[in-house]
Amino acid sequence: MRFFCARCCSFGSEMPAVQLLLLACLVWDVGARTAQLRKANDRSGRCQYTFIVASPNESSCPEQSQAMSVIHNLQKDSSTQRLDLEATKARLSSLESLLHHQLTLDRAAGPQETQEGLQRELGTLRRERDQLETQTRELETAYSNLLRDKSVLEEEKKRLRQENENLARRLESSSQEVARLRRGQCPQTRDTARDVPPGSREVSTWNLDTLAFQELKSELTEVPASQILKESPSGHLRSREGDNGCGELVWVGEPLTLRTAETITGKYGVWMRDPKPTYPYTRETTWRIDTVGTDVRQVFEYDLISQFMQGYPSKVHILPRPLESTGAVVYSGSLYFQGAESRTVIRYELNTETVKAEKEIPGAGYHGQFPYSWGGYTDIDLAVDESGLWVIYSTDEAKGAIVLSKLNPENLELEQTWETNIRKQSVANAFIICGTLYTVSSYSSADATVNFAYDTGTGISKTLTIPFKNRYKYSSMIDYNPLEKKLFAWDNLNMVTYDIKLSKM
């Protein structure tokens, strides 16, 4: 059988082959309008069928070379398509592998855990956002406080400059008076020869040219010891001989400024003297701690009051662990303070620079749980009175009310505890005199009051209205010194004292 494709088909005598090729030609040339089928013998006498269809598109049949080119192009296209198909299959296999891995992870984690993980991440992001917003507000508040403090400091600077000028004028006047007195002569002794009894001779009252001792004769008047009274530094009668001078607080004087902090780290702090000094310390030795900061360890020591007032420390202690709040005290040669971010009270012996005792106050709030109204992490406040060492704090069990405990100064064991009905966060500060707790109404009001008293002897509290002046309008520490019978306070960079009066018990 032969096949011609110039839009014609020729066949031999095999009818099935003829029919198939005829069908192929018809399908290939679908759209042709005319077709011819011829039957004739070829030169050898063999029967030959010729099927002719006119091409609708081509005017002539392509040459063999053109056909081969088309075949090559088709082979190239086929190879390209095969490569694309292989790449597509590879990508599909990779996607199927990833999908299978993800489905395996999802089956292992479960939809609930996946949702919980997303919720946790969402919660973490929200907390971070809230923290950033809180920090922003705190920074804005701190900035406004600094601006306010700056204006206050400028006003204080003007006031101090005026005071310095007044003091300079007074000093100059005093110097002139001293010079005048030095130039003056003592009154000459009048001639008293006529007053000398017969047989006696007159001698100089203070004859420093001789080596002989001269006796002075005096008259003594006997007075019962029980009638001797001592006067306190505040001007009132303190007590009879041997008494500790206890009584109820009835008056607080005007603040006397002794020292002003040099930098903002002294915005608030604590300063003190030992009411029961031990060698090598004296009643003049003063300690000071600036408590602004996160790692407060420095304790400045001044041997003399004059050194303290001039700002020249004789020694600087570095505590073995940082302290917190303005509640530290010095008693019997040791510094007692609250460890940072803890309810632990520490006894640090100043002379040997060693920690002698540590004690957790059971249930005491700390680091901002139950502070005084001004804040400053003043949850635990130590105090000293005529009877010894105390700690002022609060607990969850007391629901924020002030709790008092008497401490053993050696081992810090709690000896006795009282719970008051005074809410700790409603008062600005507190101190203890003669076993009675006193609280101050405000830390910022210029005209505050000592507003409550709680007597540990009777367990009874009462309201008071004793005027208390916050001269610099930010009192962060108020303590009582039973040796000097004064209140020590730290008021907005300034270290001040208050005279007090106690009524007789």
Side-chain angles (χ1 to χ4, degrees):
M1 179 185 68
R2 292 178 298 168
F3 171 72
F4 303 95
C5 187
R7 293 301 178 267
C8 67
C9 296
S10 298
F11 311 101
S13 59
E14 296 88 351
M15 287 304 295
V18 171
Q19 293 174 356
L20 289 173
L21 290 174
L22 178 60
L23 179 61
C25 288
L26 287 174
V27 171
W28 179 52
D29 274 341
V30 65
R33 294 182 179 180
T34 59
Q36 296 179 1
L37 178 63
R38 294 180 182 179
K39 179 181 178 183
N41 293 326
D42 60 6
R43 293 180 181 180
S44 62
R46 188 179 178 86
C47 180
Q48 185 179 55
Y49 291 90
T50 303
F51 183 76
I52 301 172
V53 179
S55 172
N57 298 324
E58 298 174 328
S59 59
S60 63
C61 290
E63 298 294 332
Q64 182 178 2
S65 60
Q66 292 178 348
M68 292 301 294
S69 176
V70 171
I71 290 171
H72 288 315
N73 290 336
L74 289 174
Q75 287 177 344
K76 290 180 181 179
D77 292 342
S78 175
S79 298
T80 302
Q81 290 176 358
R82 186 178 295 106
L83 291 174
D84 291 342
L85 180 60
E86 292 297 330
T88 303
K89 286 181 179 180
R91 288 196 296 270
L92 287 174
S93 298
S94 177
L95 288 174
E96 288 175 354
S97 176
L98 290 174
L99 180 60
H100 177 72
H101 181 65
Q102 185 63 38
L103 290 174
T104 303
L105 291 179
D106 290 344
R107 292 192 197 98
Q112 182 66 27
E113 293 183 5
T114 303
Q115 185 176 4
E116 290 177 356
L118 293 174
Q119 290 292 337
R120 283 195 299 271
E121 292 180 3
L122 181 61
T124 301
L125 292 174
R126 286 176 176 170
R127 284 194 298 272
E128 291 177 354
R129 182 197 63 189
D130 294 341
Q131 289 175 358
L132 290 174
E133 292 177 350
T134 302
Q135 292 175 0
T136 302
R137 289 194 297 270
E138 290 177 351
L139 289 173
E140 291 174 351
T141 303
Y143 180 69
S144 63
N145 290 337
L146 287 175
L147 292 178
R148 185 172 61 252
D149 294 341
K150 179 182 176 183
S151 62
V152 171
L153 289 174
E154 289 175 350
E155 293 176 1
E156 181 62 17
K157 180 179 177 181
K158 294 178 182 177
R159 187 185 66 81
L160 290 174
R161 186 180 292 113
Q162 184 64 37
E163 288 183 359
N164 288 337
E165 293 174 357
N166 294 337
L167 287 173
R169 286 194 294 268
R170 289 167 58 187
L171 181 61
E172 183 180 0
S173 176
S174 299
S175 300
Q176 293 174 355
E177 180 66 18
V178 170
R180 186 185 65 79
L181 291 174
R182 285 177 177 174
R183 289 193 301 269
Q185 296 291 331
C186 292
Q188 298 295 324
T189 304
R190 292 179 300 175
D191 185 9
T192 56
R194 61 181 179 274
D195 298 326
V196 177
S200 301
R201 65 184 180 89
E202 183 179 359
V203 295
S204 173
T205 307
W206 295 98
N207 187 1
L208 300 179
D209 297 331
T210 67
L211 297 178
F213 289 98
Q214 302 180 36
E215 296 181 357
L216 296 178
K217 186 178 181 179
S218 62
E219 293 183 357
L220 300 177
T221 302
E222 184 174 329
V223 179
S226 61
Q227 297 299 319
I228 299 176
L229 298 177
K230 292 183 178 180
E231 187 173 335
S232 72
S234 58
H236 68 282
L237 295 179
R238 179 184 295 175
S239 65
R240 291 192 173 98
E241 190 72 30
D243 193 3
N244 60 6
C246 273
E248 293 182 359
L249 181 67
V250 294
W251 175 82
V252 178
E254 293 284 333
L256 173 64
T257 304
L258 300 182
R259 178 71 185 157
T260 301
E262 301 82 3
T263 65
I264 194 63
T265 57
K267 168 74 173 180
Y268 43 85
V270 55
W271 72 283
M272 52 234 148
R273 297 191 189 114
D274 194 342
K276 191 179 177 181
T278 59
Y279 181 82
Y281 306 114
T282 69
R283 61 182 297 167
E284 275 199 77
T285 309
T286 307
W287 291 268
R288 164 188 165 181
I289 307 172
D290 297 344
T291 59
V292 175
T294 57
D295 189 39
V296 180
R297 294 175 184 264
Q298 289 187 337
V299 181
F300 299 96
E301 181 180 298
Y302 307 85
D303 289 336
L304 302 174
I305 295 176
S306 58
Q307 292 177 345
F308 168 68
M309 296 177 68
Q310 294 169 3
Y312 301 132
S314 54
K315 185 175 183 180
V316 179
H317 297 267
I318 304 298
L319 298 177
R321 60 180 291 185
L323 62 75
E324 190 165 85
S325 88
T326 59
V329 296
V330 171
Y331 181 69
S332 192
S334 293
L335 172 71
Y336 298 85
F337 66 94
Q338 173 197 354
E341 298 188 30
S342 74
R343 56 172 61 94
T344 302
V345 173
I346 301 167
R347 177 193 169 201
Y348 173 80
E349 192 172 63
L350 291 161
N351 187 29
T352 61
E353 300 183 18
T354 55
V355 173
K356 290 296 184 179
E358 296 186 25
K359 177 68 177 179
E360 275 200 357
I361 308 301
Y366 65 94
H367 203 63
Q369 287 181 279
F370 302 110
Y372 291 126
S373 61
W374 75 270
Y377 300 135
T378 51
D379 304 75
I380 295 177
D381 187 15
L382 293 151
V384 175
D385 75 344
E386 289 77 2
S387 64
L389 183 64
W390 298 78
V391 60
I392 304 167
Y393 59 101
S394 187
T395 64
D396 288 328
E397 186 177 354
K399 298 180 180 178
I402 290 179
V403 178
L404 292 174
S405 290
K406 190 75 183 302
L407 294 179
N408 183 308
E410 293 295 324
N411 55 25
L412 300 177
E413 292 293 329
L414 275 65
E415 296 179 344
Q416 193 172 353
T417 298
W418 295 261
E419 183 177 322
T420 74
N421 58 354
I422 304 168
R423 182 172 175 78
K424 191 167 186 291
Q425 290 178 286
S426 69
V427 297
N429 225 303
F431 52 90
I432 299 175
I433 300 176
C434 300
T436 297
L437 172 78
Y438 295 93
T439 64
V440 177
S441 62
S442 173
Y443 66 93
S444 59
S445 172
D447 297 312
T449 60
V450 177
N451 58 346
F452 288 107
Y454 177 85
D455 189 345
T456 58
T458 63
I460 297 174
S461 62
K462 63 180 179 180
T463 58
L464 301 173
T465 55
I466 301 173
F468 184 91
K469 298 291 185 180
N470 292 306
R471 174 176 292 173
Y472 304 102
K473 300 182 180 180
Y474 205 99
S475 292
S476 58
M477 161 254 172
I478 304 172
D479 280 338
Y480 171 63
N481 186 302
L483 180 62
E484 300 187 36
K485 301 292 182 184
K486 293 178 183 287
L487 295 179
F488 288 22
W490 194 298
D491 187 0
N492 200 5
L493 297 154
N494 295 279
M495 286 141 269
V496 302
T497 62
Y498 296 82
D499 284 336
I500 63 170
K501 288 183 180 179
L502 304 177
S503 66
K504 289 185 179 181
M505 295 294 287

